[in-house]
Amino acid sequence: MLKKQYIQSAFELLIGESKKTFLGEKSSCMQKYKNSLPVGFCHDYPNTVSLKVTADCNLRCKHCYYSGEPTLYNPQDDFSTEDIFELIDFLVDDFNILTLTLTGGEPFLREDFINIVAHAKEKNLPLVIQTNGTILTEKDIKNLSEILYPKTDVIHISLEGANKNAHDSIRGKGTFDKAIESIKLLKKYSLPVQINSTLTSVSAPNLENLFELCDSLNVNRLSISKFHVCHENHKYLDVILEDTIYCAHKILEKMKKYPHIFAKTKIVDIYDFLKLDEGRKILDEYLDKHPKKIHEETCLSCHNHNKLVISAKGDVFLCSTYESEDTTLGNLHESDFYEIWERRLSNPYFQKRNLSTVKCKDCKYITLCGAGCLASAYKEYGDINMAPAECPYFKEYLRRLNE
């Protein structure tokens, strides 16, 4: 049985992350788009873009979204170098984006990847580079050190837990040592590194030890997210609620012990607490002490449509949580970017969502969850105005409604 202390710690972690997310989104919004925002709804243009420069990957990680459909690893339709240069120019010159994430697949499989990075930096564009860290060479890293700007750019390396056994069981034999060696080389050349990890049934027993690992590698940025099952063969990696709560408790203790490590954690959400009697008590007590209301016209979209995701084959999405034919804005090989951007107006993820539209508007917990993830709601119910699939409270409501 879970101790109340563990549940309380997990809630403290959740509230702390909520405050960080709010402040981060607010400062990003205020930076540039304050005067271009239609009242309470959406951005005129995206300010962050995630670009998958290749569908190819040298690994076949067991928890990868692509692992359910191996044909997705096909790099045949990847952008050419010239196409990517032209796309970056457009995103900066016409859309004036603030940041660009370069990911894959594994981006370093492209022979021209360093040139792509250099072109983006010629446009003074802040970069996030996401890699599994297994094929970086010292030559690559030295070249990056001459291109990247440590104050605005960062390289994300994925680690599945804090030890070789956990990591290699997900990503393949020998991959942990290769990733650690890449991190050491990146730090040798004074490049900023963030370690990304995922809470799975494999990583859960030692996930909090990532703080010691970061400290030993002189890495001061860490991101830990919850794993979401995408395919049947992923189910064994799902984490039971008790282990999730206990892991959150241990991570909070390590965050207090290592305050110099900026840790972003998304391993618990309000819906975890709604599944526990003691969890609901904690939520109720918090609401009693911090009563607040949501204005009816407050936008309940997750990021006010300020992001775009571009797949390696040119498909454009507002959100990567649930990519499907009816949520794509179009394909860059077939349509002009402005034409694609205009299609957002009829996209399911772009429809107005506020307190007057959501079906869970009378729920007493809505001030804490903000109606949750609209992509999850759409995937589960085909309607962005429903509660997300993870919400047990809404499922109880629907069950009572149908009795």
Side-chain angles (χ1 to χ4, degrees), residues 215-341:
D215 194 49
S216 69
L217 294 169
N218 195 28
V219 172
N220 61 6
R221 296 177 66 165
L222 173 64
S223 174
I224 306 175
S225 57
K226 179 189 288 190
F227 174 70
H228 293 283
V229 175
C230 299
H231 305 285
E232 283 293 318
N233 56 333
H234 290 166
K235 283 190 173 180
Y236 82 100
L237 293 169
D238 205 7
V239 187
I240 63 173
L241 179 58
E242 287 77 8
D243 288 346
T244 298
I245 296 293
Y246 183 55
C247 191
H249 164 71
K250 291 189 291 183
I251 285 174
L252 182 65
E253 289 187 327
K254 289 299 176 74
M255 288 174 70
K256 293 175 179 177
K257 185 177 179 182
Y258 295 93
H260 60 286
I261 296 175
F262 178 80
K264 187 175 182 180
T265 61
K266 291 185 177 180
I267 61 172
V268 287
D269 54 42
I270 183 176
Y271 312 114
D272 292 322
F273 297 92
L274 290 175
K275 295 172 186 173
L276 301 165
D277 289 340
E278 187 59 46
R280 291 193 183 190
K281 288 180 184 177
I282 288 173
L283 295 180
D284 291 341
E285 289 171 2
Y286 181 82
L287 287 174
D288 286 342
K289 293 178 181 177
H290 305 87
K292 53 182 177 179
K293 293 182 179 180
I294 297 179
H295 188 274
E296 189 168 292
E297 290 301 316
T298 298
C299 179
L300 296 177
S301 293
C302 55
H303 47 60
N304 288 2
H305 314 97
N306 67 350
K307 300 178 183 178
L308 276 184
V309 178
I310 304 173
S311 78
K313 64 179 183 178
D315 290 329
V316 182
F317 299 91
L318 288 170
C319 176
S320 62
T321 301
Y322 176 49
E323 298 176 0
S324 61
E325 286 188 15
D326 58 334
T327 61
T328 181
L329 298 179
N331 187 283
L332 288 171
H333 296 299
E334 301 168 359
S335 304
D336 173 82
F337 208 116
Y338 278 113
E339 181 184 342
I340 287 173
W341 180 240

Side-chain angles (χ1 to χ4, degrees), residues 71-86:
T71 57
L72 294 175
Y73 289 106
N74 185 1
Q76 181 178 344
D77 296 322
D78 286 357
F79 291 106
S80 68
T81 307
E82 292 72 22
D83 285 342
I84 291 181
F85 283 8
E86 186 178 336

Side-chain angles (χ1 to χ4, degrees), residues 72-313:
L72 294 175
Y73 289 106
N74 185 1
Q76 181 178 344
D77 296 322
D78 286 357
F79 291 106
S80 68
T81 307
E82 292 72 22
D83 285 342
I84 291 181
F85 283 8
E86 186 178 336
L87 178 58
I88 290 172
D89 290 345
F90 175 83
L91 291 172
V92 175
D93 298 338
D94 288 51
F95 272 19
N96 213 9
I97 66 169
L98 297 176
T99 60
L100 176 67
T101 296
L102 298 173
T103 182
E106 171 49 50
F108 283 93
L109 283 175
R110 289 191 64 125
E111 293 181 358
D112 61 353
F113 185 62
I114 299 297
N115 293 334
I116 291 171
V117 173
H119 187 79
K121 292 312 297 178
E122 286 173 4
K123 309 294 288 188
N124 297 313
L125 191 57
L127 293 181
V128 175
I129 297 172
Q130 296 180 333
T131 173
N132 58 44
T134 60
I135 60 172
L136 274 75
T137 65
E138 186 160 6
K139 181 181 178 182
D140 288 332
I141 293 170
K142 185 176 184 299
N143 287 334
L144 288 174
S145 71
E146 296 170 355
I147 300 169
L148 298 180
Y149 183 48
K151 291 188 176 181
T152 62
D153 308 318
V154 63
I155 298 171
H156 290 186
I157 303 278
S158 300
L159 292 180
E160 303 309 323
N163 63 43
K164 183 187 299 187
N165 291 338
H167 180 90
D168 286 6
S169 69
I170 298 292
R171 293 184 174 263
K173 187 175 180 180
T175 55
F176 182 80
D177 289 340
K178 289 178 181 177
I180 294 298
E181 182 59 29
S182 290
I183 292 171
K184 289 178 178 178
L185 279 172
L186 288 164
K187 296 304 297 183
K188 173 184 173 182
Y189 284 91
S190 302
L191 285 166
V193 178
Q194 175 174 301
I195 289 176
N196 290 347
S197 194
T198 309
L199 172 62
T200 65
S201 59
V202 172
S203 65
N206 64 67
L207 196 60
E208 76 279 6
N209 294 336
L210 281 169
F211 286 85
E212 282 86 354
L213 182 62
C214 284
D215 194 49
S216 69
L217 294 169
N218 195 28
V219 172
N220 61 6
R221 296 177 66 165
L222 173 64
S223 174
I224 306 175
S225 57
K226 179 189 288 190
F227 174 70
H228 293 283
V229 175
C230 299
H231 305 285
E232 283 293 318
N233 56 333
H234 290 166
K235 283 190 173 180
Y236 82 100
L237 293 169
D238 205 7
V239 187
I240 63 173
L241 179 58
E242 287 77 8
D243 288 346
T244 298
I245 296 293
Y246 183 55
C247 191
H249 164 71
K250 291 189 291 183
I251 285 174
L252 182 65
E253 289 187 327
K254 289 299 176 74
M255 288 174 70
K256 293 175 179 177
K257 185 177 179 182
Y258 295 93
H260 60 286
I261 296 175
F262 178 80
K264 187 175 182 180
T265 61
K266 291 185 177 180
I267 61 172
V268 287
D269 54 42
I270 183 176
Y271 312 114
D272 292 322
F273 297 92
L274 290 175
K275 295 172 186 173
L276 301 165
D277 289 340
E278 187 59 46
R280 291 193 183 190
K281 288 180 184 177
I282 288 173
L283 295 180
D284 291 341
E285 289 171 2
Y286 181 82
L287 287 174
D288 286 342
K289 293 178 181 177
H290 305 87
K292 53 182 177 179
K293 293 182 179 180
I294 297 179
H295 188 274
E296 189 168 292
E297 290 301 316
T298 298
C299 179
L300 296 177
S301 293
C302 55
H303 47 60
N304 288 2
H305 314 97
N306 67 350
K307 300 178 183 178
L308 276 184
V309 178
I310 304 173
S311 78
K313 64 179 183 178

